[in-house]
């Protein structure tokens, strides 16, 4: 499907870890870029991790310009939070 760059946000979360494993198996010629503030517990050989706060718009623009992804899986988010403002910022605005 893709021999380009695949960017995955939220890659250290439950779904992100499984998505990275799936992409590594199904897209062996692609270069995977893992985006999360935390480092995933396992990274495929064809994957590079970039610790990044998605609320930092300048950093996101810079990474996107450098990586030039052909596919983006944006699965970062909070499933619960005691801070409604943070929940909104992360799940709606990013």
């Amino acid at each position: 499907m893709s021999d380009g760059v695949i960017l995955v946000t939220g890659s250290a979360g439950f779904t992100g870890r499984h998505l990275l494993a799936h992409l590594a198996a199904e897209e062996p010629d692609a270069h995977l870029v893992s985006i999360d503030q935390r480092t995933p517990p396992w990274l495929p050989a064809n994957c590079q991790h970039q610790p990044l706060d998605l609320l930092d718009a300048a950093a996101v623009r810079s990474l996107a310009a450098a990586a030039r992804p052909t596919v983006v899986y944006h699965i970062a988010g909070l499933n619960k939070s005691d801070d409604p403002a943070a929940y909104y910022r992360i799940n709606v605005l990013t």
Side-chain angles (χ1 to χ4, degrees), residues 11-23:
S11 54
F14 176 80
T15 304
R17 292 189 305 247
H18 291 283
L19 179 58
L20 284 179
H22 173 77
L23 291 171

Side-chain angles (χ1 to χ4, degrees), residues 7 58-69:
L7 191 141
V60 171
R61 278 192 298 274
S62 177
L63 176 75
R68 300 178 52 90

Side-chain angles (χ1 to χ4, degrees), residues 50-75:
Q50 293 290 326
L52 183 72
D53 179 355
L54 291 177
L55 297 176
D56 182 346
V60 171
R61 278 192 298 274
S62 177
L63 176 75
R68 300 178 52 90
T70 53
V71 178
V72 176
Y73 291 95
H74 177 48
I75 56 173

